[in-house]
Amino acid sequence: MTSPAAQQLGIVPSVFAVQHLPQATFPEDDDWIALVRAPEGLTVIRETWPTGSGDRWIGLYGGGAGHQLDVPGMLAAIVGPLAEAAIPVFVASTFHADLVLVPEPRIKQAVTVLEKVGHRVDTRHLRTPDE
């Protein structure tokens, strides 16, 4: 089955951490990639060290020129197949594309799932967790 919104995705070379700061309105440092403020507190996405402990996320980024704000289904075409495969995601959208984070141990499975439904994934920055 091919997705009607097949996209070219790339793996972001960074490794990410997602944090919840319940009492914060802004982080205490400038080392963040994305911020979302909500009634429950602040959600922060930041780069983390290539090695270390804690939940680590790998980013898939894509859409490029084909990702226009008025085109429905672009994000759903990515997260839908991942949900069907029971792969958790955390998403941050930009004006140009979506950053879809998947848990580091599941990235190879996520790539397989996405390619199976017709997406093209550039894996040149794919690393295994022990690299």
Side-chain angles (χ1 to χ4, degrees):
M1 171 178 147
T2 301
S3 169
Q7 298 168 55
Q8 175 68 43
L9 304 168
I11 293 179
V12 179
S14 300
V15 177
F16 298 95
V18 178
Q19 298 176 301
H20 176 241
L21 306 176
Q23 304 303 318
T25 57
F26 204 80
E28 294 180 9
D29 58 36
D30 291 334
D31 296 331
W32 49 269
I33 302 297
L35 303 173
V36 178
R37 191 176 309 145
E40 304 82 25
L42 187 66
T43 300
V44 180
I45 299 173
R46 60 177 78 238
E47 287 185 74
T48 189
W49 294 102
T51 60
S53 61
D55 291 338
R56 297 158 47 82
W57 298 78
I58 303 297
L60 295 157
Y61 188 76
H67 185 276
Q68 289 127 15
L69 296 176
D70 61 347
V71 177
M74 297 295 286
L75 181 56
I78 297 169
V79 298
L82 295 175
E84 288 178 20
I87 298 172
V89 300
F90 190 89
V91 178
S93 295
T94 72
F95 188 84
H96 297 286
D98 300 301
L99 174 64
V100 178
L101 302 177
V102 299
E104 185 176 46
R106 306 287 300 273
I107 187 61
K108 287 184 180 179
Q109 181 188 8
V111 168
T112 299
V113 165
L114 292 170
E115 287 178 336
K116 189 173 185 179
V117 297
H119 298 293
R120 294 171 311 282
V121 182
D122 179 350
T123 59
R124 80 180 92 173
H125 296 296
L126 182 61
R127 303 168 29 143
T128 57
D130 55 334
E131 284 184 56

